[in-house]
Each structure stands twice: as C-alpha cells, then as structure tokens.
Amino acid sequence: HIDAVFTGHSQDVTCVTAPKDLLFFVSGSRDCSIRVWVTKECKLMTVLRRHQLTVTCLSLTEDNKRLISGSYDKTVRIWALNHGIQEKVIEIGEKVTSLAVTQQSRMIITGSMDAKIRLWNLEQLSAKEEATLAGHTDGITCLVAHPDGKLLISGSYDGKIIMWNLNECVQERFLEGHDSTVTCLCLTRDNAKIVSASSNNEIKVWNAEIGSHSDEIFGKHGGIVSVKFDRSNTDRLFTLGIDRNITVWHRPSHSPLSTFGKSSGGHTERVTGMVVTSNGQEVYTCSMDKTIIGWNVEDQKIIKTLYGHESCVSDIHLLPGDEWLLSASEDRTARLWNLENGKDEVIFRGHTDIISCITSTHNKELVFTGSLDRTISMWVNPKNTGKKKGDTKTDEQTQLAQEVVTAEFIFLKHSAAIVCLAVS
C-alpha cells in the first residue's frame, strides 16, 4: 500500500535520508538537486541547488540542523537546513560515492572512487582533511559509522569490508566473504552485527566484535524462482534461481552443498518452477524453453527431458508417489506425465488463456488449474487407477494412447487472473 508519492525531481532519485522522527526527509537526484520534503503534508519544503553533477549521498547531523551531501562533481557540501543555505564546500578531488557522520557530528567521513576514505573536522568546518584511510583497492561504495564514534565500516567495489579504528585511523580487520561489489552496509539496532549486501544478490550477517559472518541469507542466483524443502532430510533446502542454477543448501550452516543446472546442458531460457521428489534424490524444473528437465541430485546430471508443450511451461506439480508429474503451460494446456516412460499421457484442454498454476488433491483423484482467463478448472485424473510399480501387465496393456480430458467443473468467481493454487 502506497501512502503518498512525492514528485519533483526531473531525473532518477539516487539517495534519501531522514531523521528518526520522519517529520521530513531529503532526496538527492541525477538532476543535481536536493529536495527537502515535509512527510505528513506530502509537500516540498525547499530545493537546494549547487551541485553540478549527480548527488550520490546524503547524511544528517545528529541534531538534524545540517545536511551533508556528496556528488560526482567531486565536492561535499554542508547545508544549514533551517535557512536552506550552503555553509561550506569541501573539494574532494574525486567523485564522492558515500558519506557518514560520526556521533555528536564531530567528523564527516567521505568515500570516493579513488578507493580512499577521508576524515574531515565538522566542528571547525575546515577544508583540510584530518586523515586518509587507505586499504581498499577500488572505489568506496558505502560507509557506516558506529554510534560510539570509534569504529567505521566500509564497503567497496573490490568486494571487501574493512573495519577501521577511528581513534588511531588504522584497519582493525578485513571481512572477506563477498566475491563481488559490496553495495550496502548497516548495523543492527544493538550494534552487535553488521549486515552487508553485494551485487550478486548475497546478504551476509557478521559478528561486529569478531568479524566473522554468523549467518547468510540465501540468494546468490540473481533472484530466486522457487524454494523447496527436502522432505527426506530436514537439513537440506533446494533453491532455483533466475540464473537457471539449482542450489542445495545445508540449512543449519546456511552454506551451499552443491550447485548445478546452467553449466550441465540444462534449460536454454528462463526457468519458472521446481519440484523435488519425496526422497530428495531427484529434482524437476520447468522453463520458458517449453521443456521439463529431471535431475539426479547426487551426480548433478540430467535424467530425462520432457517434450510436448508448445509454449512456456509455467508450473509443475508432483503427484504423491513421484510416479506422475503435472505441468501447466502458456499453450493453454495442462499435461500429466508418466515419469517412468517420459510421455505426456493426458492432456487437459479447456482454458482460453495461459494456465499459470496447477495442483492436485492428496489422493491424486482431482487436478486443479488456474488461468489468466480468470477461472479455476477441476479435472478428474484418468490415471488414478491404483496401479503401483511392480504390477505385472503386458506392454500392450501399459502403453495407453494419449488422452484428452475436459474439465469436470469450472469455478467462475475471480475478477482477475489466477496465479497460484493450493489444496488443503
């Protein structure tokens, strides 16, 4: 739910800051301007114009009377918010990418593209830097000052996080674990942990005292498409990413056990769904490339590829027993696959638009599909005969012709597209 929209900038908004009471907030933009907004009244208070290039970072002093801004124009500017005037310009000499202000507003700390961190005395408003911290090998992306004023944490394009002792202006420790740009940093409310994020969608939580990462929030795919628990082993979790990789995680340690899919001759287009067999030994994935692929988790190789759909496979569902697989597609059909022979033995036809989701009852008797045509269809499963693996029948008896099934019942109450289904 959006409470309000503030408009006024003519280009991208690049940074925002606000006091704890949220009575106002400040925004910076690629249009080189800074705007101060009254939160409750949803109106513009003032516009600050002096920067010549993109405003990249903003920070308020502790008393909220001053605003510090940094820019690609290689300057840091200090503003008196009560009067809306610029008090001081500090020439940095390099593009400014990040800012921090220490408690009691005694020090401004700037990070820039030359991989340097500079400390400035705010009380004296001196244009002379107090110290320079060197340790990163690429541009600084983010800075966080500890409330005690003794510790600074920095992130960089080099993928490193450094903890600095501000009293002595020396490095205390490196936090290594990210393998791409550190995009943002923050401290937890109790200041006991550091949370970091990187450009490969990874988030780490670190112990601020000893510098080890104690937790990791899953997400190294560039976006998660599906998450499934291993029902045979509660210590394992499966994720499927937009990068077309399946990752098997060890849940207690939050560490990856294996990753496979993209480099194993798998899907050629974006993946859309995943299911895991009850024994945790096989995974099936579906894709916009019109196929369903079965994987052996142990050797990470393809077991089988199911062909039949004429458009993107949007969802899949395993029937209890892991012998049959349901699929839904943008070709407006749903299909029932015999996983033993890899054939789509039943086609469910009737929807007039994309089928987005599919599920079944636990006894396998009924199949339900949801569609962009705004209907839910209920189908009788013609293969729910009670036959189990090991039953002796002739090849002629078991190789049945493909069946086309029409809906048993259609639910017509939704006023928009159906996107997900569940059966109790």
Side-chain angles (χ1 to χ4, degrees):
H1 177 70
I2 299 174
D3 289 324
V5 178
F6 297 79
T7 58
H9 286 293
S10 59
Q11 292 190 51
D12 299 352
V13 177
T14 53
C15 48
V16 174
T17 190
K20 292 180 180 179
D21 59 18
L22 291 175
L23 293 178
F24 69 94
F25 69 94
V26 188
S27 59
S29 169
R30 285 183 61 192
D31 65 12
C32 309
S33 76
I34 299 166
R35 293 171 185 258
V36 185
W37 310 84
V38 181
T39 307
K40 189 173 182 180
E41 297 176 21
C42 302
K43 72 176 185 180
L44 180 66
M45 182 190 302
T46 188
V47 181
L48 309 177
R49 301 183 189 273
R50 286 296 180 89
H51 283 294
Q52 304 302 308
L53 292 173
T54 300
V55 180
T56 55
C57 43
L58 297 166
S59 188
L60 289 164
T61 56
E62 193 173 22
D63 59 9
N64 300 323
K65 292 180 179 180
R66 283 175 172 164
L67 172 73
I68 320 297
S69 63
S71 168
Y72 280 163
D73 66 10
K74 304 181 182 181
T75 69
V76 168
R77 296 171 190 263
I78 303 169
W79 309 82
L81 281 181
N82 290 343
H83 305 290
I85 60 172
Q86 178 180 283
E87 288 188 338
K88 188 74 178 178
V89 181
I90 302 175
E91 298 286 344
I92 303 296
E94 293 289 341
K95 291 181 178 179
V96 181
T97 54
S98 49
L99 275 173
V101 178
T102 60
Q103 198 171 45
Q104 299 179 351
S105 306
R106 292 175 179 170
M107 194 80 69
I108 299 173
I109 306 168
T110 62
S112 50
M113 290 299 291
D114 63 355
K116 300 285 180 61
I117 298 167
R118 295 172 173 85
L119 279 58
W120 312 82
N121 192 314
L122 181 57
E123 291 178 328
Q124 297 175 6
L125 284 180
S126 170
K128 181 182 178 181
E129 62 188 79
E130 296 283 314
T132 299
L133 309 180
H136 286 289
T137 57
D138 207 339
I140 310 300
T141 55
C142 43
L143 296 169
V144 174
H146 195 282
D148 65 10
K150 299 176 183 178
L151 178 70
L152 175 73
I153 308 151
S154 61
S156 167
Y157 286 106
D158 63 14
K160 293 184 176 65
I161 299 166
I162 300 180
M163 299 174 69
W164 305 86
N165 182 323
L166 288 180
N167 287 338
E168 300 177 17
C169 295
V170 295
Q171 298 173 24
E172 278 202 350
R173 60 179 63 93
F174 279 96
L175 307 185
E176 295 188 275
H178 287 297
D179 54 13
S180 62
T181 300
V182 179
T183 54
C184 51
L185 291 166
C186 69
L187 282 164
T188 54
R189 187 168 293 183
D190 60 4
N191 302 311
K193 293 184 177 181
I194 302 163
V195 183
S196 63
S198 66
S199 58
N200 69 345
N201 302 287
E202 184 180 61
I203 301 169
K204 288 183 180 292
V205 183
W206 310 77
N207 184 310
E209 186 175 349
I210 62 176
S212 63
H213 61 86
S214 57
D215 198 0
E216 184 172 328
I217 299 175
F218 308 117
K220 296 183 69 174
H221 293 290
I224 305 297
V225 174
S226 180
V227 178
K228 300 291 180 184
F229 284 103
D230 185 344
R231 286 174 287 171
S232 67
N233 182 352
T234 57
D235 284 346
R236 292 204 309 179
L237 178 78
F238 293 80
T239 60
L240 176 67
I242 289 175
D243 62 2
R244 308 200 298 275
N245 275 326
I246 301 157
T247 299
V248 186
W249 301 87
H250 181 243
R251 289 181 61 212
S253 66
H254 294 180
S255 58
L257 298 172
S258 61
T259 298
F260 57 94
K262 186 177 180 180
S263 61
S264 307
H267 292 291
T268 58
E269 294 186 43
R270 184 168 177 166
V271 287
T272 53
M274 173 182 67
V275 291
V276 181
T277 56
S278 57
N279 60 13
Q281 295 176 6
E282 296 177 9
V283 174
Y284 287 84
T285 55
C286 56
S287 167
M288 293 179 69
D289 65 10
K290 310 175 190 178
T291 69
I292 300 163
I293 295 179
W295 305 85
N296 183 298
V297 174
E298 185 176 352
D299 63 20
Q300 303 171 21
K301 293 181 179 179
I302 294 174
I303 303 166
K304 58 176 67 74
T305 302
L306 308 181
Y307 299 95
H309 281 295
E310 298 173 3
S311 189
C312 166
V313 183
S314 49
D315 192 24
I316 50 178
H317 174 74
L318 267 174
L319 293 181
D322 301 334
E323 297 175 20
W324 297 88
L325 178 76
L326 289 164
S327 63
S329 171
E330 292 187 6
D331 65 11
R332 304 179 185 180
T333 71
R335 295 174 188 243
L336 180 62
W337 303 82
N338 183 327
L339 293 181
E340 188 173 357
N341 60 28
K343 302 295 184 183
D344 53 341
E345 295 190 0
V346 179
I347 299 179
F348 302 89
R349 294 188 187 274
H351 283 292
T352 59
D353 207 336
I354 291 169
I355 303 178
S356 54
C357 46
I358 191 164
T359 191
S360 71
T361 53
H362 296 296
N363 62 10
K364 301 184 281 187
E365 290 181 0
L366 299 174
V367 175
F368 294 87
T369 53
S371 168
L372 300 196
D373 65 11
R374 299 181 292 180
T375 68
I376 299 168
S377 292
M378 182 180 75
W379 319 75
V380 174
N381 176 10
K383 296 297 181 180
N384 187 37
T385 60
K387 176 181 175 292
K388 299 180 180 179
K389 282 185 177 179
D391 286 355
T392 54
K393 289 201 174 184
T394 65
D395 290 342
E396 185 178 354
Q397 286 174 306
T398 56
Q399 291 184 6
L400 301 175
Q402 188 181 69
E403 297 182 55
V404 177
V405 178
T406 56
E408 188 78 9
F409 190 82
I410 300 175
F411 301 84
L412 299 169
K413 281 292 185 181
H414 279 285
S415 58
I418 314 299
V419 294
C420 56
L421 284 172
V423 175
S424 63

